[in-house]
C-alpha cells in the first residue's frame, strides 16, 4: 500500500514569536476571523527591520539569521508591520452615516497603529544602538592593542 505524504510548511521560530507577540491568531481576531499578517509579510518585515538596524549608528551587515537578538528583531518587525497597517488604514479610511444613527467608520485606526509603530520602532532603535555600542567595548579596553593607539 503506497504512503501518500503532504508537504507541510514549517514556520520559522521568529515568525511564531512575532505572531505570539502580536497575538495574531485566528481565534484572537474575532472581527476578521483570520490572521492579520501572512508569513510572507512577517518574513519581509524581519528583513526590513534588519535593513533598518544595519543603517542605525555604525553600518553593519546583519542578516535575519545573524541578527544578535531575537527579541529586538521581533520589536523591529512588529514596528514595521504596524506601520504598514497604519498606511493601509489611512488609505482606506471611510465614514458611513444613515439618518439619525451614529456614524460608523471603517479602517479608522490609523493613529493607533502609527502610535504603536512609533513606540515599537523607538524601542527597537534604542536596543540596536546599545547592541552596537556594547559590541565595540572590547576595542576600548586598555589591554587591547587597538585601544592603546587611541588612548595615547
Amino acid at each position: 500500500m503506497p504512503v501518500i505524504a503532504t508537504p507541510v510548511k514549517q514556520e520559522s521560530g521568529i515568525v511564531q514569536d512575532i505572531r505570539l507577540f502580536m497575538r495574531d491568531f485566528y481565534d484572537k481576531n474575532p472581527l476578521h476571523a483570520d490572521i492579520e499578517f501572512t508569513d510572507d509579510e512577517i518574513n519581509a518585515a524581519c528583513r526590513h527591520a534588519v535593513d533598518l538596524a544595519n543603517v542605525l549608528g555604525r553600518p553593519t551587515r546583519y542578516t535575519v539569521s545573524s541578527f544578535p537578538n531575537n527579541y529586538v528583531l521581533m520589536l523591529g518587525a512588529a514596528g514595521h508591520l504596524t506601520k504598514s497597517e497604519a498606511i493601509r488604514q489611512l488609505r482606506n479610511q471611510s465614514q458611513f452615516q444613515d439618518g439619525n444613527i451614529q456614524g460608523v467608520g471603517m479602517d479608522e485606526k490609523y493613529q493607533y497603529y502609527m502610535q504603536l509603530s512609533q513606540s515599537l520602532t523607538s524601542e527597537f532603535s534604542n536596543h540596536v544602538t546599545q547592541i552596537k555600542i556594547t559590541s565595540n567595548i572590547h576595542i576600548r579596553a586598555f589591554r587591547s592593542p587597538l585601544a592603546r593607539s587611541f588612548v595615547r
Side-chain angles (χ1 to χ4, degrees), residues 74-94:
M74 181 179 63
L75 289 173
H80 179 79
L81 289 168
T82 52
K83 182 184 274 186
S84 175
E85 179 60 18
I87 293 168
R88 191 196 68 75
Q89 291 269 330
L90 183 62
R91 184 176 52 242
N92 294 310
Q93 190 174 29
S94 60

mmCIF file with all atom_site columns, all heavy atoms in Angstrom, residues 74-94:
data_model
loop_
_atom_site.group_PDB
_atom_site.id
_atom_site.type_symbol
_atom_site.label_atom_id
_atom_site.label_alt_id
_atom_site.label_comp_id
_atom_site.label_asym_id
_atom_site.label_entity_id
_atom_site.label_seq_id
_atom_site.pdbx_PDB_ins_code
_atom_site.Cartn_x
_atom_site.Cartn_y
_atom_site.Cartn_z
_atom_site.occupancy
_atom_site.B_iso_or_equiv
_atom_site.pdbx_formal_charge
_atom_site.auth_seq_id
_atom_site.auth_comp_id
_atom_site.auth_asym_id
_atom_site.auth_atom_id
_atom_site.pdbx_PDB_model_num
ATOM 1   N N   . MET A 1 74 ? 12.159  40.985 16.804 1.00 0.00 ? 74 MET A N   1
ATOM 2   C CA  . MET A 1 74 ? 10.708  40.898 16.911 1.00 0.00 ? 74 MET A CA  1
ATOM 3   C C   . MET A 1 74 ? 10.094  42.297 17.066 1.00 0.00 ? 74 MET A C   1
ATOM 4   O O   . MET A 1 74 ? 9.086   42.614 16.435 1.00 0.00 ? 74 MET A O   1
ATOM 5   C CB  . MET A 1 74 ? 10.339  40.022 18.110 1.00 0.00 ? 74 MET A CB  1
ATOM 6   C CG  . MET A 1 74 ? 8.880   39.819 18.325 1.00 0.00 ? 74 MET A CG  1
ATOM 7   S SD  . MET A 1 74 ? 8.556   38.763 19.744 1.00 0.00 ? 74 MET A SD  1
ATOM 8   C CE  . MET A 1 74 ? 9.243   39.735 21.071 1.00 0.00 ? 74 MET A CE  1
ATOM 9   N N   . LEU A 1 75 ? 10.718  43.158 17.867 1.00 0.00 ? 75 LEU A N   1
ATOM 10  C CA  . LEU A 1 75 ? 10.231  44.531 18.034 1.00 0.00 ? 75 LEU A CA  1
ATOM 11  C C   . LEU A 1 75 ? 10.285  45.291 16.718 1.00 0.00 ? 75 LEU A C   1
ATOM 12  O O   . LEU A 1 75 ? 9.342   46.005 16.349 1.00 0.00 ? 75 LEU A O   1
ATOM 13  C CB  . LEU A 1 75 ? 11.063  45.277 19.081 1.00 0.00 ? 75 LEU A CB  1
ATOM 14  C CG  . LEU A 1 75 ? 10.889  44.872 20.533 1.00 0.00 ? 75 LEU A CG  1
ATOM 15  C CD1 . LEU A 1 75 ? 11.909  45.596 21.402 1.00 0.00 ? 75 LEU A CD1 1
ATOM 16  C CD2 . LEU A 1 75 ? 9.479   45.170 20.999 1.00 0.00 ? 75 LEU A CD2 1
ATOM 17  N N   . GLY A 1 76 ? 11.395  45.155 15.992 1.00 0.00 ? 76 GLY A N   1
ATOM 18  C CA  . GLY A 1 76 ? 11.543  45.855 14.722 1.00 0.00 ? 76 GLY A CA  1
ATOM 19  C C   . GLY A 1 76 ? 10.546  45.386 13.685 1.00 0.00 ? 76 GLY A C   1
ATOM 20  O O   . GLY A 1 76 ? 9.952   46.191 12.955 1.00 0.00 ? 76 GLY A O   1
ATOM 21  N N   . ALA A 1 77 ? 10.340  44.075 13.604 1.00 0.00 ? 77 ALA A N   1
ATOM 22  C CA  . ALA A 1 77 ? 9.386   43.528 12.641 1.00 0.00 ? 77 ALA A CA  1
ATOM 23  C C   . ALA A 1 77 ? 7.962   43.953 13.001 1.00 0.00 ? 77 ALA A C   1
ATOM 24  O O   . ALA A 1 77 ? 7.177   44.327 12.119 1.00 0.00 ? 77 ALA A O   1
ATOM 25  C CB  . ALA A 1 77 ? 9.495   42.009 12.594 1.00 0.00 ? 77 ALA A CB  1
ATOM 26  N N   . ALA A 1 78 ? 7.618   43.922 14.277 1.00 0.00 ? 78 ALA A N   1
ATOM 27  C CA  . ALA A 1 78 ? 6.275   44.340 14.708 1.00 0.00 ? 78 ALA A CA  1
ATOM 28  C C   . ALA A 1 78 ? 6.067   45.829 14.420 1.00 0.00 ? 78 ALA A C   1
ATOM 29  O O   . ALA A 1 78 ? 4.972   46.234 13.994 1.00 0.00 ? 78 ALA A O   1
ATOM 30  C CB  . ALA A 1 78 ? 6.079   44.049 16.190 1.00 0.00 ? 78 ALA A CB  1
ATOM 31  N N   . GLY A 1 79 ? 7.105   46.640 14.611 1.00 0.00 ? 79 GLY A N   1
ATOM 32  C CA  . GLY A 1 79 ? 7.012   48.060 14.281 1.00 0.00 ? 79 GLY A CA  1
ATOM 33  C C   . GLY A 1 79 ? 6.758   48.277 12.796 1.00 0.00 ? 79 GLY A C   1
ATOM 34  O O   . GLY A 1 79 ? 5.954   49.122 12.403 1.00 0.00 ? 79 GLY A O   1
ATOM 35  N N   . HIS A 1 80 ? 7.444   47.488 11.976 1.00 0.00 ? 80 HIS A N   1
ATOM 36  C CA  . HIS A 1 80 ? 7.251   47.601 10.529 1.00 0.00 ? 80 HIS A CA  1
ATOM 37  C C   . HIS A 1 80 ? 5.839   47.159 10.127 1.00 0.00 ? 80 HIS A C   1
ATOM 38  O O   . HIS A 1 80 ? 5.182   47.820 9.311  1.00 0.00 ? 80 HIS A O   1
ATOM 39  C CB  . HIS A 1 80 ? 8.294   46.770 9.784  1.00 0.00 ? 80 HIS A CB  1
ATOM 40  C CG  . HIS A 1 80 ? 8.133   46.816 8.307  1.00 0.00 ? 80 HIS A CG  1
ATOM 41  N ND1 . HIS A 1 80 ? 8.560   47.877 7.550  1.00 0.00 ? 80 HIS A ND1 1
ATOM 42  C CD2 . HIS A 1 80 ? 7.542   45.952 7.451  1.00 0.00 ? 80 HIS A CD2 1
ATOM 43  C CE1 . HIS A 1 80 ? 8.257   47.659 6.284  1.00 0.00 ? 80 HIS A CE1 1
ATOM 44  N NE2 . HIS A 1 80 ? 7.640   46.496 6.202  1.00 0.00 ? 80 HIS A NE2 1
ATOM 45  N N   . LEU A 1 81 ? 5.379   46.058 10.701 1.00 0.00 ? 81 LEU A N   1
ATOM 46  C CA  . LEU A 1 81 ? 4.042   45.552 10.369 1.00 0.00 ? 81 LEU A CA  1
ATOM 47  C C   . LEU A 1 81 ? 2.946   46.550 10.769 1.00 0.00 ? 81 LEU A C   1
ATOM 48  O O   . LEU A 1 81 ? 1.997   46.766 10.013 1.00 0.00 ? 81 LEU A O   1
ATOM 49  C CB  . LEU A 1 81 ? 3.796   44.201 11.046 1.00 0.00 ? 81 LEU A CB  1
ATOM 50  C CG  . LEU A 1 81 ? 4.589   43.020 10.485 1.00 0.00 ? 81 LEU A CG  1
ATOM 51  C CD1 . LEU A 1 81 ? 4.490   41.828 11.418 1.00 0.00 ? 81 LEU A CD1 1
ATOM 52  C CD2 . LEU A 1 81 ? 4.117   42.664 9.086  1.00 0.00 ? 81 LEU A CD2 1
ATOM 53  N N   . THR A 1 82 ? 3.083   47.146 11.937 1.00 0.00 ? 82 THR A N   1
ATOM 54  C CA  . THR A 1 82 ? 2.049   48.092 12.382 1.00 0.00 ? 82 THR A CA  1
ATOM 55  C C   . THR A 1 82 ? 2.096   49.381 11.565 1.00 0.00 ? 82 THR A C   1
ATOM 56  O O   . THR A 1 82 ? 1.055   49.982 11.307 1.00 0.00 ? 82 THR A O   1
ATOM 57  C CB  . THR A 1 82 ? 2.159   48.393 13.891 1.00 0.00 ? 82 THR A CB  1
ATOM 58  O OG1 . THR A 1 82 ? 3.492   48.796 14.210 1.00 0.00 ? 82 THR A OG1 1
ATOM 59  C CG2 . THR A 1 82 ? 1.773   47.180 14.719 1.00 0.00 ? 82 THR A CG2 1
ATOM 60  N N   . LYS A 1 83 ? 3.289   49.795 11.127 1.00 0.00 ? 83 LYS A N   1
ATOM 61  C CA  . LYS A 1 83 ? 3.370   50.976 10.256 1.00 0.00 ? 83 LYS A CA  1
ATOM 62  C C   . LYS A 1 83 ? 2.723   50.674 8.905  1.00 0.00 ? 83 LYS A C   1
ATOM 63  O O   . LYS A 1 83 ? 1.999   51.500 8.352  1.00 0.00 ? 83 LYS A O   1
ATOM 64  C CB  . LYS A 1 83 ? 4.815   51.402 10.044 1.00 0.00 ? 83 LYS A CB  1
ATOM 65  C CG  . LYS A 1 83 ? 4.940   52.668 9.188  1.00 0.00 ? 83 LYS A CG  1
ATOM 66  C CD  . LYS A 1 83 ? 6.378   53.020 8.907  1.00 0.00 ? 83 LYS A CD  1
ATOM 67  C CE  . LYS A 1 83 ? 6.921   53.851 10.022 1.00 0.00 ? 83 LYS A CE  1
ATOM 68  N NZ  . LYS A 1 83 ? 8.279   54.340 9.731  1.00 0.00 ? 83 LYS A NZ  1
ATOM 69  N N   . SER A 1 84 ? 2.957   49.486 8.400  1.00 0.00 ? 84 SER A N   1
ATOM 70  C CA  . SER A 1 84 ? 2.355   49.071 7.139  1.00 0.00 ? 84 SER A CA  1
ATOM 71  C C   . SER A 1 84 ? 0.831   49.050 7.246  1.00 0.00 ? 84 SER A C   1
ATOM 72  O O   . SER A 1 84 ? 0.120   49.512 6.345  1.00 0.00 ? 84 SER A O   1
ATOM 73  C CB  . SER A 1 84 ? 2.884   47.685 6.758  1.00 0.00 ? 84 SER A CB  1
ATOM 74  O OG  . SER A 1 84 ? 2.261   47.195 5.620  1.00 0.00 ? 84 SER A OG  1
ATOM 75  N N   . GLU A 1 85 ? 0.331   48.541 8.353  1.00 0.00 ? 85 GLU A N   1
ATOM 76  C CA  . GLU A 1 85 ? -1.123  48.510 8.563  1.00 0.00 ? 85 GLU A CA  1
ATOM 77  C C   . GLU A 1 85 ? -1.671  49.923 8.740  1.00 0.00 ? 85 GLU A C   1
ATOM 78  O O   . GLU A 1 85 ? -2.779  50.233 8.278  1.00 0.00 ? 85 GLU A O   1
ATOM 79  C CB  . GLU A 1 85 ? -1.482  47.642 9.777  1.00 0.00 ? 85 GLU A CB  1
ATOM 80  C CG  . GLU A 1 85 ? -2.955  47.572 10.092 1.00 0.00 ? 85 GLU A CG  1
ATOM 81  C CD  . GLU A 1 85 ? -3.835  47.003 8.983  1.00 0.00 ? 85 GLU A CD  1
ATOM 82  O OE1 . GLU A 1 85 ? -3.320  46.331 8.071  1.00 0.00 ? 85 GLU A OE1 1
ATOM 83  O OE2 . GLU A 1 85 ? -5.068  47.249 9.022  1.00 0.00 ? 85 GLU A OE2 1
ATOM 84  N N   . ALA A 1 86 ? -0.911  50.822 9.379  1.00 0.00 ? 86 ALA A N   1
ATOM 85  C CA  . ALA A 1 86 ? -1.346  52.214 9.523  1.00 0.00 ? 86 ALA A CA  1
ATOM 86  C C   . ALA A 1 86 ? -1.508  52.865 8.156  1.00 0.00 ? 86 ALA A C   1
ATOM 87  O O   . ALA A 1 86 ? -2.474  53.595 7.919  1.00 0.00 ? 86 ALA A O   1
ATOM 88  C CB  . ALA A 1 86 ? -0.338  52.999 10.364 1.00 0.00 ? 86 ALA A CB  1
ATOM 89  N N   . ILE A 1 87 ? -0.584  52.585 7.241  1.00 0.00 ? 87 ILE A N   1
ATOM 90  C CA  . ILE A 1 87 ? -0.672  53.130 5.884  1.00 0.00 ? 87 ILE A CA  1
ATOM 91  C C   . ILE A 1 87 ? -1.940  52.612 5.199  1.00 0.00 ? 87 ILE A C   1
ATOM 92  O O   . ILE A 1 87 ? -2.675  53.367 4.560  1.00 0.00 ? 87 ILE A O   1
ATOM 93  C CB  . ILE A 1 87 ? 0.591   52.778 5.079  1.00 0.00 ? 87 ILE A CB  1
ATOM 94  C CG1 . ILE A 1 87 ? 1.801   53.519 5.664  1.00 0.00 ? 87 ILE A CG1 1
ATOM 95  C CG2 . ILE A 1 87 ? 0.413   53.088 3.598  1.00 0.00 ? 87 ILE A CG2 1
ATOM 96  C CD1 . ILE A 1 87 ? 3.133   53.027 5.145  1.00 0.00 ? 87 ILE A CD1 1
ATOM 97  N N   . ARG A 1 88 ? -2.211  51.321 5.344  1.00 0.00 ? 88 ARG A N   1
ATOM 98  C CA  . ARG A 1 88 ? -3.417  50.745 4.743  1.00 0.00 ? 88 ARG A CA  1
ATOM 99  C C   . ARG A 1 88 ? -4.678  51.354 5.350  1.00 0.00 ? 88 ARG A C   1
ATOM 100 O O   . ARG A 1 88 ? -5.635  51.677 4.651  1.00 0.00 ? 88 ARG A O   1
ATOM 101 C CB  . ARG A 1 88 ? -3.434  49.220 4.925  1.00 0.00 ? 88 ARG A CB  1
ATOM 102 C CG  . ARG A 1 88 ? -4.518  48.535 4.084  1.00 0.00 ? 88 ARG A CG  1
ATOM 103 C CD  . ARG A 1 88 ? -4.796  47.124 4.547  1.00 0.00 ? 88 ARG A CD  1
ATOM 104 N NE  . ARG A 1 88 ? -5.437  47.071 5.856  1.00 0.00 ? 88 ARG A NE  1
ATOM 105 C CZ  . ARG A 1 88 ? -6.725  47.365 6.087  1.00 0.00 ? 88 ARG A CZ  1
ATOM 106 N NH1 . ARG A 1 88 ? -7.511  47.743 5.106  1.00 0.00 ? 88 ARG A NH1 1
ATOM 107 N NH2 . ARG A 1 88 ? -7.232  47.287 7.299  1.00 0.00 ? 88 ARG A NH2 1
ATOM 108 N N   . GLN A 1 89 ? -4.681  51.516 6.675  1.00 0.00 ? 89 GLN A N   1
ATOM 109 C CA  . GLN A 1 89 ? -5.849  52.095 7.361  1.00 0.00 ? 89 GLN A CA  1
ATOM 110 C C   . GLN A 1 89 ? -6.109  53.511 6.853  1.00 0.00 ? 89 GLN A C   1
ATOM 111 O O   . GLN A 1 89 ? -7.254  53.882 6.604  1.00 0.00 ? 89 GLN A O   1
ATOM 112 C CB  . GLN A 1 89 ? -5.608  52.129 8.874  1.00 0.00 ? 89 GLN A CB  1
ATOM 113 C CG  . GLN A 1 89 ? -5.574  50.786 9.537  1.00 0.00 ? 89 GLN A CG  1
ATOM 114 C CD  . GLN A 1 89 ? -6.928  50.340 10.027 1.00 0.00 ? 89 GLN A CD  1
ATOM 115 O OE1 . GLN A 1 89 ? -7.774  51.139 10.375 1.00 0.00 ? 89 GLN A OE1 1
ATOM 116 N NE2 . GLN A 1 89 ? -7.126  49.036 10.061 1.00 0.00 ? 89 GLN A NE2 1
ATOM 117 N N   . LEU A 1 90 ? -5.061  54.305 6.703  1.00 0.00 ? 90 LEU A N   1
ATOM 118 C CA  . LEU A 1 90 ? -5.222  55.684 6.249  1.00 0.00 ? 90 LEU A CA  1
ATOM 119 C C   . LEU A 1 90 ? -5.759  55.722 4.819  1.00 0.00 ? 90 LEU A C   1
ATOM 120 O O   . LEU A 1 90 ? -6.653  56.513 4.494  1.00 0.00 ? 90 LEU A O   1
ATOM 121 C CB  . LEU A 1 90 ? -3.888  56.419 6.328  1.00 0.00 ? 90 LEU A CB  1
ATOM 122 C CG  . LEU A 1 90 ? -3.909  57.897 5.963  1.00 0.00 ? 90 LEU A CG  1
ATOM 123 C CD1 . LEU A 1 90 ? -4.814  58.664 6.921  1.00 0.00 ? 90 LEU A CD1 1
ATOM 124 C CD2 . LEU A 1 90 ? -2.491  58.462 6.004  1.00 0.00 ? 90 LEU A CD2 1
ATOM 125 N N   . ARG A 1 91 ? -5.235  54.848 3.979  1.00 0.00 ? 91 ARG A N   1
ATOM 126 C CA  . ARG A 1 91 ? -5.652  54.815 2.574  1.00 0.00 ? 91 ARG A CA  1
ATOM 127 C C   . ARG A 1 91 ? -7.123  54.405 2.428  1.00 0.00 ? 91 ARG A C   1
ATOM 128 O O   . ARG A 1 91 ? -7.818  54.877 1.529  1.00 0.00 ? 91 ARG A O   1
ATOM 129 C CB  . ARG A 1 91 ? -4.748  53.854 1.807  1.00 0.00 ? 91 ARG A CB  1
ATOM 130 C CG  . ARG A 1 91 ? -5.012  53.795 0.332  1.00 0.00 ? 91 ARG A CG  1
ATOM 131 C CD  . ARG A 1 91 ? -4.049  52.901 -0.418 1.00 0.00 ? 91 ARG A CD  1
ATOM 132 N NE  . ARG A 1 91 ? -3.959  51.565 0.149  1.00 0.00 ? 91 ARG A NE  1
ATOM 133 C CZ  . ARG A 1 91 ? -2.847  51.042 0.652  1.00 0.00 ? 91 ARG A CZ  1
ATOM 134 N NH1 . ARG A 1 91 ? -1.733  51.732 0.679  1.00 0.00 ? 91 ARG A NH1 1
ATOM 135 N NH2 . ARG A 1 91 ? -2.841  49.819 1.138  1.00 0.00 ? 91 ARG A NH2 1
ATOM 136 N N   . ASN A 1 92 ? -7.622  53.538 3.304  1.00 0.00 ? 92 ASN A N   1
ATOM 137 C CA  . ASN A 1 92 ? -8.980  53.002 3.173  1.00 0.00 ? 92 ASN A CA  1
ATOM 138 C C   . ASN A 1 92 ? -9.976  53.580 4.169  1.00 0.00 ? 92 ASN A C   1
ATOM 139 O O   . ASN A 1 92 ? -11.078 53.055 4.317  1.00 0.00 ? 92 ASN A O   1
ATOM 140 C CB  . ASN A 1 92 ? -8.948  51.477 3.332  1.00 0.00 ? 92 ASN A CB  1
ATOM 141 C CG  . ASN A 1 92 ? -8.199  50.827 2.207  1.00 0.00 ? 92 ASN A CG  1
ATOM 142 O OD1 . ASN A 1 92 ? -8.448  51.096 1.045  1.00 0.00 ? 92 ASN A OD1 1
ATOM 143 N ND2 . ASN A 1 92 ? -7.249  49.979 2.543  1.00 0.00 ? 92 ASN A ND2 1
ATOM 144 N N   . GLN A 1 93 ? -9.602  54.644 4.845  1.00 0.00 ? 93 GLN A N   1
ATOM 145 C CA  . GLN A 1 93 ? -10.467 55.220 5.872  1.00 0.00 ? 93 GLN A CA  1
ATOM 146 C C   . GLN A 1 93 ? -11.745 55.796 5.240  1.00 0.00 ? 93 GLN A C   1
ATOM 147 O O   . GLN A 1 93 ? -11.697 56.491 4.240  1.00 0.00 ? 93 GLN A O   1
ATOM 148 C CB  . GLN A 1 93 ? -9.711  56.334 6.593  1.00 0.00 ? 93 GLN A CB  1
ATOM 149 C CG  . GLN A 1 93 ? -10.380 56.840 7.817  1.00 0.00 ? 93 GLN A CG  1
ATOM 150 C CD  . GLN A 1 93 ? -9.491  57.830 8.554  1.00 0.00 ? 93 GLN A CD  1
ATOM 151 O OE1 . GLN A 1 93 ? -8.683  58.511 7.956  1.00 0.00 ? 93 GLN A OE1 1
ATOM 152 N NE2 . GLN A 1 93 ? -9.648  57.884 9.852  1.00 0.00 ? 93 GLN A NE2 1
ATOM 153 N N   . SER A 1 94 ? -12.877 55.450 5.844  1.00 0.00 ? 94 SER A N   1
ATOM 154 C CA  . SER A 1 94 ? -14.145 55.980 5.343  1.00 0.00 ? 94 SER A CA  1
ATOM 155 C C   . SER A 1 94 ? -15.169 56.014 6.473  1.00 0.00 ? 94 SER A C   1
ATOM 156 O O   . SER A 1 94 ? -15.082 55.267 7.428  1.00 0.00 ? 94 SER A O   1
ATOM 157 C CB  . SER A 1 94 ? -14.662 55.142 4.170  1.00 0.00 ? 94 SER A CB  1
ATOM 158 O OG  . SER A 1 94 ? -14.869 53.812 4.583  1.00 0.00 ? 94 SER A OG  1
#
